[in-house]
Amino acid sequence: MAAKYHQGHDVKSLAINLATILLFFLPIALYFGERERYATYCGVVAGSLLLSLAVPPIGWMRPHPYTDIPGNKPLTFRKSD
């Protein structure tokens, strides 16, 4: 019987996902936004990208679902048996 797949996200993955979403919406914000706020929009995206690079993964190596080490599982919000 195969082990159950633990589906969860660690903090670094969530930060990268947020930065990618903001980067995706940047051209839309620049097109429809006010010209005076262009630097703010770009600053928010640049800051989120820097934050996603600075956030460390949880554990001494990046958590992943296929590990044999019990303490190296991804952070999950739901408990799975």
Side-chain angles (χ1 to χ4, degrees):
M1 179 186 233
K4 281 191 168 187
Y5 177 72
H6 291 274
Q7 199 169 16
H9 301 285
D10 59 296
V11 178
K12 187 164 188 86
S13 295
L14 295 174
I16 290 171
N17 289 342
L18 176 66
T20 305
I21 290 170
L22 291 176
L23 183 63
F24 177 77
F25 285 117
L26 180 63
I28 299 167
L30 292 177
Y31 184 77
F32 290 110
E34 301 170 6
R35 185 172 285 273
E36 295 81 25
R37 293 192 173 178
Y38 283 2
T40 304
Y41 297 150
C42 293
V44 167
V45 171
S48 68
L49 289 170
L50 288 174
L51 180 69
S52 69
L53 289 174
V55 171
I58 298 171
W60 65 277
M61 66 176 140
R62 188 174 180 96
H64 56 89
Y66 302 113
T67 184
D68 292 334
I69 305 169
N72 197 30
K73 297 289 183 194
L75 175 67
T76 57
F77 295 106
R78 288 181 270 162
K79 295 287 183 186
S80 59
D81 296 328

